[in-house]
Amino acid sequence: MEDEASADHPTTEPPGDQIPLACPDCNGPLYEARDGQLVQFECFVGHRFSPESLSEQHTEALERALWTAIRKLKERVVLHRNLMERKRNKGEEELFKRLEESVTRAKNDLKLLREVSDRIY
């Protein structure tokens, strides 16, 4: 095998020090490299960012994560409502109460996540 690096098969870590942030594109570790006054961030597979582009990409990744959470909470509401509407077996009253509480909590969480999402930009 050849010893050539590629995005799929890197052979060395990027230059610089690893920082406690994940790459907004692939969630891999990020490294901060300095060349005089120039700072650049690079992940293990080769995504590169300036400080400004890293901030922008991080914001976009955060927004995607929030929308994923919002979608999953909406699915939870639909699922639990559907389970509540079906004919229950004897002794499932406790399950019905838990599902009802779950729907209420999910609705409250959805409201909170929407507020957070609105504040990102």
Side-chain angles (χ1 to χ4, degrees):
M1 284 184 64
E2 295 181 23
D3 241 5
E4 292 183 20
S6 71
D8 293 332
H9 302 286
T11 58
T12 61
E13 288 185 11
D17 297 321
Q18 186 174 351
I19 60 173
L21 296 175
C23 174
D25 288 341
C26 69
N27 289 319
L30 272 181
Y31 296 79
E32 180 181 341
R34 291 185 174 272
D35 185 11
Q37 296 294 321
L38 181 66
V39 176
Q40 179 174 290
F41 301 92
E42 184 176 348
C43 75
F44 199 76
V45 297
H47 298 119
R48 288 190 182 103
F49 307 93
S50 68
E52 184 178 353
S53 68
L54 178 60
S55 178
E56 290 170 2
Q57 291 297 317
H58 187 271
T59 299
E60 289 179 19
L62 178 58
E63 186 176 23
R64 284 190 307 271
L66 285 170
W67 281 113
T68 297
I70 287 169
R71 186 178 67 247
K72 289 299 179 185
L73 280 169
K74 285 182 176 182
E75 290 174 2
R76 180 178 205 90
V77 169
V78 170
L79 171 65
H80 288 184
R81 278 187 177 158
N82 286 342
L83 291 173
M84 289 168 56
E85 290 172 1
R86 70 178 177 81
K87 292 184 179 180
R88 286 181 292 289
N89 297 324
K90 186 177 179 182
E92 285 189 336
E93 292 82 20
E94 185 63 33
L95 173 62
F96 181 83
K97 288 178 189 175
R98 287 197 318 262
L99 291 171
E100 200 171 43
E101 290 170 2
S102 175
V103 167
T104 300
R105 283 193 309 270
K107 286 180 176 180
N108 290 336
D109 292 345
L110 277 166
K111 182 181 176 187
L112 178 62
L113 285 178
R114 285 187 184 112
E115 290 172 5
V116 170
S117 179
D118 290 343
R119 289 190 302 240
I120 289 177
Y121 286 103

